[in-house]
Amino acid sequence: MGLNRRTAMKAGLLTTAMSALGLNSAHPQGTSTPPPITVQGEAAVRTNIPVVRDRRASGGSYLALTTKKKPPKEGWYAAYAIRAPEAGVYALTAVATSPVETPHTEATASYLQLALNDGGFTEIARSQPHWYESKPAWGGLSVLDLGELELLRCENMLTFRVTEPTVLETGTAYALALDRFTLRRREGVELREVRAGGDGTLSTYRYGEPASLTLGLNGRPDRPYRVRYTVVDYFGERVAEGYATIKPGDETTVKAPLPQLPPGNYRVAASAADASDAEAVVGHFACLPALPAASGDANRFGVNVWATSLVPPSRLDAFAAAMRDMGAGWIRDGQAWPAAEPSPGAYDTEHHDRVTRTMRRHGLSPLEVISPAPEWAMTAASLPLPADLRHAYRYARRLASGHPAAVQLSNEPDVDVTSSTGDAHAAFVKAAALGITDAPDRPLVVLPGIAQAGHFQGLMLANDVVRYADVWAFHGYPDPAEQDEPAFPGAADEQRELAGRLGAGEVPRWMTECGAFFAVRPGVDLVPVQQAFQARYLVRSMVEGLAAGNTRQFWFAGPPLHDDGVYFGLLSREFQPLPAYSACAALTSLLGEAHFTGVVSGLPAWAVGFEFDSGRGESVRVLWSAKPARIPVPGATVYDVMGRRAETDGGAVTVSRDPVYVVAPGGDSTRPVRAPRRVLSPAEHIVLSQRYAARNAAPNKDNGDAEPPLGYRLSRRTLMSLDVYNFTSISRTVTVNAPRPAGGWSARAEGPTRVEVPPQGRTTVDFTITAGSGVKRRTDHRLAFTATLDGDEVPPSVSLVQLK
């Protein structure tokens, strides 16, 4: 994590997120707690951050940093002299901008670093749920909990620093707003840290490695501090317990050796020896299977990370290692297009490129997702797409040059609240796909992640976008009301059938988001019963998705993530592994290459089973049951949901809601050979795009819930344009065919329909669309434009129109 613990202890700095432990003198009994110390942001004794006047600020001014300029060697900083009435541990809060978005503001800042006195800097590397729950202050500022630190009696020097940029609406910049901060004295010392595994990990280690617990206080005790701890496994069985003593003096932590534990997820509860169980600090750690997951193209498992938003910079390496150790071969991430291209052709991708390089270094294959376009590229009628598709082509080509393994052309365009239509998005997809395809050593082209099968996707597919892609993509979530044992949605089967009807059944299908909605209270992770639901659902969703024909499955999400009362992450808010993390590690280890071979037959009606070939000469059956069922497993080795070897009784195993793995010799080592990528023709490099005035915009999709009619809203006579793009290197002559719509509609070209389009250029053909007297209002009709290039058919542009 890039943290020197010894330096941090000498500095007396403690942040809860990084567990950098400080010094403490116990507060004398019988004395009152000193009043809080509040310091105005503009009262720094040294700073290179501008001061801005604002009547809303508590002192009438505040520190305000927003700059693209690289920081000097010492960073962008503000140093404050703090006079403490007594030595001890103090809680630090600040009215400042959060490093992540919160429900009350989208304003974000760079991650803060703190240093106390002569100590080194430590990043406040807390998770998204911690910041997300911050209370509003004023403007874009929040009341932030920055952890605890140790103050010496009398003079102290506290320094805030920014060295990493953040992503703002219009670009990447170094940002911080600081109105004031407050220090409140804590009584005595308290247990704060419980973790396992080596330094620099997220409380994980692999089976067979030595491991110990680390128990830490928030300050140095003035007498021996005895800690009691218990360790229970996923099934609630106590596997370790004991006492450890933290000596007075400079020590603030103690290690307690762990016994040799089988693979699994473990919950630690630790407290002062004389405290009640209600006061215990809880942590999680994972013992990973000895056998790692398949690597490279053979790995079928991915995880959504959105690292720039959800992972503090100092945690990035450890996080990437944890995802790979969990068995994810792929990560799904993305940078904001407005930040990456703040002005036309001016690219700023360094910040995100570092994330991509880190993931690559840890053996993860990045799937990059294209975000909505910058404001400068859009019009009121094109939102959220660029009005000129050449911007999409150039930006996608630039993304491809950063060497992601694949690029997804957008995220859930069918459920945004804009009036963008399936035909407009299809034209964007074609242009972006061509930009990727024309790049050297190009990555895979992945179709947009569709939230749900419906009108939008159907229209996009009618525009013949599949020929431009290497991968078909979609998402699938259970009903949010299913809080106990969510059922895997039918999205995978729906998309398989849809692809089959279009003759695209051989195109690999990726479920680029799957997960479950578990409701939580603020400040609380998933409770143990929810952790079990999440672990079981992860296994079932991955298995059922692969059985439905998906080539890859991406869980949503890896990092701690709390959104509008729902928790998604595989890690706790302290970046420790929840049981679903360990369930994923077991799944990826045991299934290996995970080639689905069939549904297991002969099971009781309430039991389910799927069989896979691991690629290691093994047959792996994954079994679970709505109620206990005894199933014969002669000659097989059985593993539980956590990857621990399970006992069999008389050649049989009792199966429950927790999936088990039955491994036996077998499998077929022969695999189909992937078809070579098809080279797109010159005609396929011509993109047709219908363009209408903003007054003719289709109805907003209303987050995907809008019912037809969904087409452009036209008058009896409407002038529109057909843009003809040429994404080749030479001039092309394209013949546009006037459409012949049904239902009483007609279309007339207002100029020549045989047009010369320059290389990488655009030419527009205007049309008048007329609704005859028999056209019914508020009824969708298809309007299909076609064209030819040297006798070859150009992929069509197919829209829906209605008479408003």
Side-chain angles (χ1 to χ4, degrees):
M1 295 184 185
L3 173 66
N4 185 322
R5 292 184 180 274
R6 186 174 301 276
T7 299
M9 283 190 282
K10 289 181 178 179
L13 172 66
L14 173 72
T15 66
T16 300
M18 298 298 294
S19 301
L21 301 170
L23 308 175
N24 181 60
S25 299
H27 188 63
Q29 292 185 355
T31 62
S32 61
T33 302
I37 304 168
T38 297
V39 181
Q40 299 301 324
E42 65 272 21
V45 295
R46 295 189 305 274
T47 186
N48 56 9
I49 299 176
V51 174
V52 174
R53 296 187 61 82
D54 194 308
R55 287 180 295 178
R56 296 173 296 176
S58 62
S61 301
Y62 69 105
L63 287 188
L65 172 70
T66 304
T67 181
K68 294 181 179 294
K69 184 179 178 182
K70 295 282 186 181
K73 183 178 180 180
E74 64 272 22
W76 300 112
Y77 74 94
Y80 299 88
I82 310 296
R83 187 175 181 85
E86 59 183 53
V89 174
Y90 287 73
L92 174 63
T93 59
V95 173
T97 36
S98 166
V100 304
E101 291 184 7
T102 65
H104 56 270
T105 180
E106 295 181 357
T108 59
S110 300
Y111 276 89
L112 264 176
Q113 298 175 354
L114 294 182
L116 185 65
N117 298 326
D118 296 327
F121 282 93
T122 303
E123 184 179 81
I124 309 299
R126 291 183 152 175
S127 64
Q128 181 267 357
H130 174 86
W131 305 115
Y132 183 86
E133 294 159 0
S134 301
K135 295 180 179 179
W138 58 269
L141 281 66
S142 307
V143 181
L144 305 180
D145 175 4
L146 300 182
E148 296 169 320
L149 53 84
E150 160 73 5
L151 296 182
L152 303 175
R153 187 172 182 273
C154 296
E155 294 298 330
N156 299 267
M157 187 63 67
L158 176 62
T159 305
F160 294 72
R161 186 176 76 167
V162 164
T163 62
E164 291 281 348
T166 189
V167 178
L168 304 178
E169 289 185 2
T170 57
T172 301
Y174 301 85
L176 172 67
L178 176 62
D179 180 6
R180 64 184 184 274
F181 62 89
T182 300
L183 295 150
R184 291 178 173 83
R185 179 73 162 90
R186 293 289 197 193
E187 288 290 342
V189 295
E190 296 178 352
L191 190 66
R192 283 286 188 254
E193 179 187 23
V194 179
R195 63 180 176 84
D199 290 340
T201 71
L202 301 185
S203 282
T204 66
Y205 65 95
R206 201 162 287 281
Y207 176 70
E209 296 176 352
S212 60
L213 291 177
T214 299
L215 308 166
L217 303 175
N218 65 346
R220 185 176 63 182
D222 58 2
R223 61 181 62 90
Y225 192 105
R226 198 166 188 232
V227 181
R228 177 185 61 184
Y229 65 88
T230 59
V231 181
V232 298
D233 66 12
Y234 170 78
F235 301 98
E237 298 177 5
R238 186 172 296 185
V239 297
E241 60 184 333
Y243 292 86
T245 301
I246 300 172
K247 299 177 181 179
D250 290 336
E251 297 298 324
T252 56
T253 64
V254 65
K255 289 185 180 294
L258 286 168
Q260 178 89 354
L261 297 172
N265 193 268
Y266 298 90
R267 184 176 184 269
V268 187
S271 62
D274 57 356
S276 67
D277 291 341
E279 298 176 79
V281 176
V282 174
H284 292 269
F285 67 90
C287 177
L288 300 162
L291 182 65
S295 60
D297 288 342
N299 188 292
R300 294 179 179 270
F301 305 99
V303 62
N304 285 263
V305 299
W306 308 114
T308 301
S309 300
L310 301 178
V311 183
S314 63
R315 291 192 185 272
L316 189 59
D317 263 297
F319 173 80
M323 294 299 101
R324 186 66 189 93
D325 289 344
M326 183 187 72
W330 288 72
I331 59 99
R332 183 170 180 256
D333 205 347
Q335 64 182 319
W337 185 353
E341 193 180 6
S343 59
Y347 296 103
D348 178 12
T349 62
E350 179 184 354
H351 183 52
H352 186 75
D353 288 346
R354 279 192 295 158
V355 174
T356 301
R357 289 194 297 269
T358 299
M359 298 298 174
R360 283 286 201 184
R361 189 170 64 249
H362 286 278
L364 296 162
S365 298
L367 168 59
E368 178 79 23
V369 184
I370 297 181
S371 79
E375 186 174 346
W376 58 258
M378 296 187 294
T379 64
S382 74
L383 182 80
L385 304 173
D388 188 334
L389 296 182
R390 288 171 291 186
H391 293 309
Y393 176 94
R394 288 190 286 263
Y395 178 64
R397 189 179 175 101
R398 170 71 184 215
L399 279 185
S401 70
H403 305 295
V407 177
Q408 189 164 32
L409 301 179
S410 66
N411 180 62
E412 297 190 349
D414 54 322
V415 294
D416 64 30
V417 293
T418 72
S419 57
S420 66
T421 57
D423 65 290
H425 207 80
F428 165 80
V429 164
K430 294 172 186 178
L434 288 167
I436 297 165
T437 302
D438 292 348
D441 302 319
R442 74 170 181 90
L444 296 172
V445 176
V446 182
L447 286 177
I450 293 296
Q452 57 196 40
H455 303 287
F456 186 96
Q457 185 187 20
L459 187 57
M460 191 177 72
L461 294 172
N463 280 263
D464 208 0
V465 295
V466 177
R467 69 169 73 194
Y468 290 87
D470 302 298
V471 176
W472 179 300
F474 62 98
H475 299 164
Y477 289 89
D479 186 340
E482 296 178 359
Q483 289 289 303
D484 293 343
E485 297 285 353
F488 186 63
D493 289 329
E494 290 175 356
Q495 295 292 324
R496 181 188 62 212
E497 293 168 3
L498 179 59
R501 290 200 304 270
L502 293 179
E506 297 303 314
V507 178
R509 293 184 301 281
W510 293 6
M511 193 178 223
T512 52
E513 283 187 26
C514 67
F517 302 87
F518 291 109
V520 294
R521 292 179 289 110
V524 179
D525 286 330
L526 299 174
V527 298
V529 67
Q530 290 177 308
Q531 294 171 15
F533 293 152
Q534 186 193 43
R536 292 196 284 263
Y537 183 77
L538 181 142
V539 175
R540 294 200 304 262
S541 64
M542 292 288 188
V543 166
E544 292 193 56
L546 295 174
N550 297 340
T551 304
R552 285 196 170 87
Q553 293 277 125
F554 289 75
W555 179 263
F556 188 90
L561 176 58
H562 182 193
D563 184 27
D564 196 22
V566 177
Y567 198 88
F568 292 100
L570 298 177
L571 303 177
S572 74
R573 64 181 52 230
E574 299 301 329
F575 279 94
Q576 294 182 342
L578 295 173
Y581 174 95
S582 297
C584 188
L587 171 83
T588 58
S589 170
L590 291 165
L591 285 193
E593 296 182 7
H595 301 286
F596 177 63
T597 56
V599 175
V600 178
S601 59
L603 299 176
W606 52 85
V608 177
F610 300 91
E611 187 168 1
F612 294 85
D613 176 0
S614 71
R616 300 186 291 250
E618 299 167 328
S619 168
V620 183
R621 286 176 287 164
V622 189
L623 309 173
W624 62 86
S625 180
K627 57 184 179 179
R630 186 174 168 82
I631 297 175
V633 289
T637 303
V638 180
Y639 298 86
D640 66 25
V641 67
M642 293 287 114
R644 178 183 64 178
R645 187 163 177 171
E647 296 295 328
T648 57
D649 180 12
V653 64
T654 299
V655 178
S656 68
R657 293 184 184 275
D658 282 313
V660 299
Y661 303 87
V662 180
V663 182
D668 179 7
S669 59
T670 61
R671 298 284 169 250
V673 178
R674 179 186 294 176
R677 296 175 178 175
R678 190 173 65 85
V679 177
L680 294 173
S681 69
E684 290 167 319
H685 276 71
I686 305 299
V687 175
L688 307 179
S689 178
Q690 299 180 42
R691 181 159 48 88
Y692 296 82
R695 62 180 176 274
N696 301 124
N700 285 357
K701 293 185 287 294
D702 192 22
N703 201 26
D705 296 328
E707 292 296 326
L710 300 171
Y712 296 107
R713 293 176 288 197
L714 307 188
S715 303
R716 285 288 177 184
R717 185 181 301 273
T718 304
L719 183 66
M720 56 82 65
S721 299
L722 182 72
D723 292 331
V724 184
Y725 292 89
N726 171 20
F727 292 112
T728 73
S729 58
I730 63 173
S731 182
R732 301 286 183 177
T733 301
V734 178
T735 301
V736 175
N737 302 314
R740 296 182 178 179
W745 291 89
S746 63
R748 184 184 76 246
E750 298 298 330
T753 56
R754 182 177 171 84
V755 294
E756 190 78 12
V757 190
Q760 297 295 313
R762 177 181 68 178
T763 299
T764 300
V765 181
D766 292 327
F767 283 85
T768 297
I769 310 299
T770 302
S773 58
V775 172
K776 295 182 180 179
R777 294 184 183 275
R778 297 183 55 77
T779 302
D780 284 330
H781 288 275
R782 283 201 171 193
L783 182 63
F785 287 88
T786 61
T788 57
L789 172 66
D790 299 331
D792 292 334
E793 293 290 332
V794 171
S797 171
V798 182
S799 70
L800 294 176
V801 296
Q802 60 169 299
L803 180 61
K804 62 183 178 182

